[in-house]
Amino acid sequence: MKWIRALTLSAAVTAVASLGLLSAVAFFVCRSEPLPRGSVMIITTIAACAAVFLGGFLSTLSVREKGLLLGLGAGAVFLVCAGLVSVLVFQIELGPASAGKIAAILISGAIGGVLGANRKSKVKF
């Protein structure tokens, strides 16, 4: 039961973080001078990786175990949602560059999960 709660928390945190980060990125991109198309894709990938990192990190703070699996779960849930939106709404198929983005998102979720599970609960000075 705690795994379902942690994965639900991870999905919620990832959704809120990605909404906030991508909104901030969109605001700054609109306010800046025209950017090359390739740099916008890199910026959005970094924002998605940061959101998945936060989702994996905050979900494993409550469970304190198996951070790698929960971090990968956070990345997988995000990728499934993003993939469904891409295919069903925009009719975009996965390309060769998608493998790098998928790997970056899964790795950032795994790192967030491991760091959240191994975080010390109290710091003594």
Side-chain angles (χ1 to χ4, degrees):
M1 190 64 171
K2 65 182 176 180
W3 298 105
I4 295 171
R5 183 178 57 126
L7 202 54
T8 305
L9 176 68
S10 170
V13 168
T14 303
V16 170
S18 65
L19 180 67
L21 288 171
L22 291 174
S23 296
V25 165
F27 177 76
F28 289 123
V29 166
C30 288
R31 291 285 183 177
S32 67
E33 296 179 12
L35 296 173
R37 187 173 180 179
S39 65
V40 173
M41 290 186 187
I42 292 172
I43 291 170
T44 56
T45 302
I46 290 171
C49 288
V52 171
F53 176 84
L54 287 174
F57 182 77
L58 294 177
S59 68
T60 55
L61 282 178
S62 63
V63 179
R64 296 275 185 201
E65 59 185 26
K66 303 212 182 199
L68 181 65
L69 294 177
L70 281 174
L72 286 174
V77 167
F78 182 83
L79 286 173
V80 165
C81 292
L84 286 175
V85 167
S86 296
V87 171
L88 297 177
V89 175
F90 298 112
Q91 286 87 28
I92 298 173
E93 296 180 10
L94 296 176
S98 300
K101 293 177 186 179
I102 290 170
I105 289 173
L106 289 177
I107 289 171
S108 65
I111 290 171
V114 169
L115 290 178
N118 293 328
R119 185 170 182 253
K120 293 183 181 180
S121 59
K122 205 172 217 185
V123 177
K124 294 181 181 180
F125 290 102

